[in-house]
Amino acid sequence: TSEFPLPLSVRVTDANGAGVPGVVVTWRAAARNPTGSPAGPWTGTDWNGDTSVNVFPGVTAGTYSVTAKGAKGTSAVFTLTNV
């Protein structure tokens, strides 16, 4: 199965809105079908606070979520659809 055409991306910022480098972001997809697989369970932010991961869709069609979670518990949720 090929990956989605664009990676999921997040930016980690501080209280002033500046990007924070070196933060570990964990990526988790739904544990039930439909689902997909992030290319890795975690990524680290670059010097701008940006990080991304490619996602490979599962074989079951439908909509599901992938969550990116930062070190202090903040998260972003992406909705993906397998066709």
Side-chain angles (χ1 to χ4, degrees):
T1 305
S2 62
E3 63 196 38
F4 282 96
L6 297 173
L8 303 182
S9 299
V10 295
R11 173 173 283 166
V12 177
T13 59
D14 63 17
N16 297 317
V20 181
V23 175
V24 173
V25 175
T26 58
W27 300 90
R28 294 197 184 225
R32 63 196 182 295
N33 282 325
T35 191
S37 299
W42 61 270
T43 56
T45 58
D46 65 13
W47 63 279
N48 288 318
D50 297 324
T51 190
S52 62
V53 69
N54 291 317
V55 177
F56 296 85
V59 295
T60 303
T63 301
Y64 59 96
S65 61
V66 174
T67 302
K69 188 172 183 180
K72 294 190 177 188
T74 56
S75 61
V77 178
F78 299 86
T79 301
L80 302 175
T81 301
N82 297 344
V83 291

